[in-house]
Amino acid sequence: LNSYLQVEHASDGTHVLGSGLVTENVSTVAASTNALTLAAMTTATMHDVTLTANCTITFPTATAGQSFILLLRQDGTGSRTVTWPASVLWASGTAPTLTTTASAVDVLAFICVDGTNWLGFVSGQDMK
């Protein structure tokens, strides 16, 4: 335990940046096709997906306490849409309208608190 604490923490008790605790693993998908299954949380907690077709996304199994970030990039054509899993709950029950201009980037966050559903949030749209 002492060895772990010395590696993961600075002398003032704060976490050492880049030691593993604060680093996210990114899964990059260069071409989405029409169906995409996101990697499990043990593999990645950030997903950077370039939409190259209208896409139905399958999420990892919902587990209480887990969260992930999803970057959706429109390809050079744009106008790509996403079909979300039924396990995603959105504010007011309405999924967001994605930015569909060519090369646009939308950022979405998902958290699970009940072990059944993902709560979806728009973190940013049309990021430049």
Side-chain angles (χ1 to χ4, degrees), residues 16 22 26 71 83 90 108 119:
V16 175
V22 294
V26 180
L71 281 79
T83 300
W90 299 101
L108 301 112
L119 304 178

Side-chain angles (χ1 to χ4, degrees), residues 106-122:
D106 291 341
V107 181
L108 301 112
F110 298 90
I111 62 171
C112 178
V113 295
D114 64 3
T116 302
N117 297 295
W118 290 103
L119 304 178
F121 302 90
V122 175

Side-chain angles (χ1 to χ4, degrees), residues 54-99:
N54 294 337
C55 186
T56 298
I57 298 179
T58 300
F59 282 13
T61 301
T63 302
Q66 290 187 333
S67 63
F68 67 94
I69 302 295
L70 178 61
L71 281 79
L72 293 176
R73 300 176 186 274
Q74 295 284 341
D75 64 6
T77 301
S79 298
R80 311 302 187 183
T81 61
V82 168
T83 300
W84 301 102
S87 62
V88 179
L89 304 178
W90 299 101
S92 301
T94 304
T97 301
L98 298 178
T99 308

